[in-house]
Amino acid sequence: MRAYLPAYHLKAATDLATVLRLLSEESGGWKPFAGGTDLMVLLDAGKLPHRDFVNIWNLPELSGIEVTPEYVTLGALTTYTELRRHETLLREFPLLCQAAAETGGIATQNRGTLGGNVANGSPAADSPPALLVYDAELELVSARGARWRPLHGFYSGYKQMDLRSDELIRRFRLPRSGKDWKQYYRKVGTRRAQAISKVCFAAAASVADGRITDIRLAFGSVAPTVFRATATEQSLRGEKISAALLSAARETLATEIAPIDDVRSTAPYRRHVAHNLLAQFLEMLPSR
Ligand SMILES: Cc1cc2nc3c(=O)[nH]c(=O)nc-3n(C[C@H](O)[C@H](O)[C@H](O)COP(=O)(O)OP(=O)(O)OC[C@H]3O[C@@H](n4cnc5c(N)ncnc54)[C@H](O)[C@@H]3O)c2cc1C
C-alpha cells in the first residue's frame, strides 16, 4: 500500500544550528532526510512509520572531502559518485571506492550518501565493511556538542547503534596509515548490478617474509550487524601463511558469524561463501 503523502512533513533547513535545534526540541520528533534513497523506498511501500523529517541535503557542514597529512575526512553527505571519483581515496582507500561503485545504479550513487548508509544500520550495507577495515571514526553532533567515536562497536544489534535521537552524523575520518596493505573487497549478490549483498567482505593485510604482520577483516550480511572479525584477525596476526593456518582461520570465523535464511539467501550458503572469500583473500597474500 502506498503512503498518504499529506501525512508527512519535510522541513527545509540550510544551516546546521537550525537542524540541531529541531532534532533536540522533542526527543525523536524530527528525523534527518539526506539523499532519501532508503527513506523513499519505505515511503513508496507505505512502510515509513515516522512522519516528520528535516532535509539536511544542503548543509555545507556535512559536505566535502578534506585531505590532511593524517586523515581523509568525508562529510556525511558525501555521495557514492563523489567517493568513487576521488583521487586520494582511489589510491589509498580503494575498498571504499569499490563499495561505492557496486552500490545500486548511477541514480542511487548520485543521491545516496555515506552518512545515510551508516545511519540506516542495515547489516547488508556495502560501505561499512570497507570503513571498518580502514578504522574509520565518525563525528556525531547535537545541540549539546560533538563527539568522535570509532565505527567499530557503533552497532550493538540489528539496526541498533550508538546514535541518539538528537544527533547527526557530521563526518567520517580515515587515518592515513601509509602501510603497504594488500586489500580485497568482494560483494556477492544475485547479479553484478543493483543487487543487495548476500555476503560482503572487505579485508586488508600487511605481510613480511610470509608472515602476516597486521590484518583487518570485516563482513556484511552474515550477522545482525556489519562487523570486524576480530577473533579471526587475532588468530592470523603474526602467523606464517600456510594451509593449516587457513583451515584454522576458517574454524575461528565460523564462531564469529551468525548468518540467517532470508529472501536473498540461506544461512549455509552465506557461511560457505564467507569462508571461501576469507580463503581467497589469504591465498592471494605472498607466502614467502
Ligand atoms: C535502487 C537502490 C539500490 C540500492 N543499492 C544499495 C547497495 O547496493 N548497497 C547499499 O549498501 N545500499 C543500497 N541502497 C540503499 C541506499 O541507497 C543507501 O543506504 C544510501 O547510502 C542511503 O543514503 P541516503 O542519503 O539516501 O539516506 P536517507 O534515505 O536519506 O536516510 C537513511 C536513514 O539514515 C538517516 N540519516 C541520513 N543521514 C544521516 C546523518 N547524516 N546523520 C544521522 N542520520 C542520518 C535517516 O534519518 C534515515 O533513517 C540502495 C537503494 C536503492 C533505492
Side-chain angles (χ1 to χ4, degrees):
M1 203 176 71
R2 299 196 67 149
Y4 177 63
L5 268 186
Y8 290 87
H9 304 110
L10 182 63
K11 207 182 255 281
T14 50
D15 68 282
L16 182 59
T18 306
V19 174
L20 297 183
R21 189 169 32 76
L22 272 178
L23 294 182
S24 70
E25 265 171 12
E26 351 155 7
S27 176
W30 293 90
K31 285 204 185 297
F33 189 106
T37 59
D38 277 314
L39 290 172
M40 289 305 289
V41 171
L42 292 175
L43 179 80
D44 199 49
K47 291 182 180 162
L48 187 58
H50 202 83
R51 298 278 190 252
D52 299 329
F53 291 91
V54 54
N55 182 14
I56 60 171
W57 182 256
N58 296 314
L59 296 186
E61 296 91 339
L62 271 62
S63 306
I65 301 177
E66 191 194 17
V67 180
T68 64
E70 290 86 28
Y71 294 103
V72 175
T73 304
L74 310 158
L77 292 171
T78 304
T79 63
Y80 297 109
T81 301
E82 289 168 322
L83 288 176
R84 60 181 296 196
R85 288 182 183 163
H86 195 275
E87 265 180 39
T88 309
L89 293 176
L90 283 164
R91 211 172 39 246
E92 297 179 30
F93 302 96
L95 307 182
L96 189 57
C97 300
Q98 197 178 332
E102 295 191 31
T103 294
I106 302 290
T108 306
Q109 290 175 13
N110 284 342
R111 190 75 199 177
T113 66
L114 194 58
N117 200 225
V118 169
N120 192 47
S122 166
D126 290 320
S127 53
L131 290 172
L132 283 169
V133 161
Y134 293 132
D135 273 350
E137 297 171 292
L138 59 168
E139 188 189 29
L140 305 169
V141 285
S142 71
R144 294 172 288 114
R147 62 185 176 117
W148 281 97
R149 62 148 299 143
L151 182 61
H152 181 49
F154 179 64
Y155 299 110
S156 53
Y158 178 72
K159 295 232 171 196
Q160 301 297 309
M161 66 203 86
D162 179 21
L163 178 67
R164 297 165 198 150
S165 61
D166 64 343
E167 283 180 324
L168 267 185
I169 301 175
R170 181 177 179 192
R171 51 192 175 156
F172 300 87
R173 69 181 177 202
L174 311 176
R176 300 176 77 188
S177 73
K179 264 193 192 171
D180 182 20
W181 294 106
K182 304 280 172 230
Q183 305 192 34
Y184 179 97
Y185 181 89
R186 185 79 193 275
K187 166 178 174 171
V188 175
T190 303
R191 50 188 188 268
R192 281 188 68 80
Q194 294 275 26
I196 300 177
S197 292
K198 293 173 194 269
V199 179
C200 177
F201 176 51
S206 56
V207 178
D209 301 327
R211 202 175 282 281
I212 298 171
T213 52
D214 201 357
I215 188 159
R216 297 172 186 175
L217 310 167
F219 285 90
S221 286
V222 289
T225 69
V226 289
F227 73 103
R228 273 277 288 271
T230 48
T232 310
E233 290 175 1
Q234 195 52 37
S235 74
L236 290 163
R237 208 167 278 125
E239 299 295 328
K240 274 253 179 217
I241 299 164
S242 67
L245 181 71
L246 209 147
S247 142
R250 286 164 72 118
E251 278 178 32
T252 310
L253 181 64
T255 66
E256 290 199 278
I257 60 177
I260 55 162
D261 293 327
D262 67 11
V263 287
R264 287 192 297 282
S265 193
T266 64
Y269 178 81
R270 287 187 157 116
R271 193 169 294 115
H272 195 69
V273 171
H275 289 170
N276 285 354
L277 294 180
L278 174 65
Q280 203 171 68
F281 171 60
L282 295 176
E283 280 163 2
M284 92 181 201
L285 299 177
S287 55
R288 61 179 84 209

